[in-house]
Structure formats: C-alpha cells, structure tokens
Amino acid sequence: MARPKKHRKIYYVPNIKIYGPLDGSGCEEVIVMTYEELESLRLMDLEGLDQNECADKMLVARSTFQRIYTEAKRKIADSIVNAKVLKIEGGNFIINKCTAKCLKCGEVWEAATGNLVSNEKCPKCGSHEFSCIHKSENGICKGCGRGRC
C-alpha cells in the first residue's frame, strides 16, 4: 500500500490563474500547474532561496522539492515555447497560517500569511491592522517567518 502524500505548505495563491498568448494563437491544449509547483518557482526564482530552504518552507524533502520545481519549469517552458495556455489549479497543499492579534481590539485568531493577508481582517472588529503573536526580538515571526502577517 502506497504511503499517502504529505501536504505541501504554500504562502501564495495567485489572483489570476490563467495565462497564455495574447494574440489568440494559443493551441487548444491547456497545461495545468499545481499551486505547489507555482510556490516552488516563487521561492526559488523570486525569493532566491536555495533548495534546502525551499524544501523546509514547503515541509517536503529536498528531493521532493527538486521534482516539484523541475516539473514547474518544464510546464512553463512548454507553455511559452508551444503557445499553450497555462492554468494554475489543484494540488496537495495547505495554506500557511499564523496566530494573529488585532492591534485595535486585541482579538486573537488564525490568519493566513503571504499575499492572502490583504484579504484578512479581524473577525471581531473588522480591522486590517494586526500582527503575529510569535514575533521574536528581531521582529520576525517564529510561526510564519514574516515581519508582519
């Protein structure tokens, strides 16, 4: 019996999930990229982390991260070179959350991190002003690793 797949932690969910040629010449085939494949590209190529750091953030082994990253690059290349539509959907992931505290009313709750934070608000008073409760002396959160949730 195969071992069940572990969920991969992601910190980013794109607002736009379909990409392709602007001139309408794209072929009918759609390439589906998972959220964790997109996250691997974001961590390696935009954040500049090494594979070990990326694997740690996504809660996977380095070899698993390498497979995810390699597949993501192959899909991007196929989409660009062959003018195919690229669609972001699906996968086996969890969204990173951290314990937040409202700076106005003091309410504590589990808040999403990364780009999802712009939509996050205090469930009690509706304020968008909050911060992580796990911050260390240097201002970096021990829970999510960010300066502010």
Side-chain angles (χ1 to χ4, degrees):
M1 184 173 186
R3 185 171 62 98
K5 272 187 168 181
K6 288 170 61 175
H7 290 293
R8 288 84 187 254
K9 187 184 279 190
I10 66 170
Y11 299 79
Y12 174 79
V13 175
N15 294 325
I16 299 171
K17 296 174 178 72
I18 297 177
Y19 304 87
L22 296 175
D23 64 1
S25 66
C27 81
E28 299 296 316
E29 187 177 347
V30 174
I31 298 171
V32 176
M33 177 180 281
T34 65
Y35 287 102
E36 57 261 33
E37 288 169 341
L38 179 64
E39 182 69 2
S40 71
L41 289 169
R42 190 187 71 78
L43 291 172
M44 277 286 284
D45 299 332
L46 289 179
E47 298 229 350
L49 303 178
D50 67 32
Q51 285 187 13
N52 289 325
E53 292 169 320
C54 294
D56 288 345
K57 278 190 161 284
M58 290 182 69
L59 303 180
V60 296
R62 193 213 46 83
S63 57
T64 301
F65 176 81
Q66 177 63 41
R67 281 192 301 275
I68 294 168
Y69 181 65
T70 299
E71 184 64 12
K73 290 190 304 182
R74 186 196 63 75
K75 289 178 179 180
I76 292 285
D78 188 17
S79 173
I80 293 170
V81 171
N82 297 313
K84 296 179 182 177
V85 172
L86 180 69
K87 186 175 184 181
I88 314 293
E89 69 178 22
N92 188 31
F93 64 92
I94 56 174
I95 295 172
N96 189 52
K97 295 202 175 236
C98 192
T99 306
K101 183 175 182 179
C102 180
L103 300 176
K104 289 196 173 189
C105 72
E107 178 76 6
V108 176
W109 77 100
E110 288 295 310
T113 62
N115 74 314
L116 303 172
V117 76
S118 62
N119 299 328
E120 193 76 43
K121 61 183 177 183
C122 174
K124 186 175 180 182
C125 72
S127 172
H128 290 279
E129 296 180 35
F130 59 91
S131 66
C132 298
I133 66 168
H134 302 294
K135 282 190 181 175
S136 64
E137 305 79 47
N138 64 1
I140 302 298
C141 177
K142 294 176 188 173
C144 66
R146 299 205 180 265
R148 179 179 183 271
C149 269

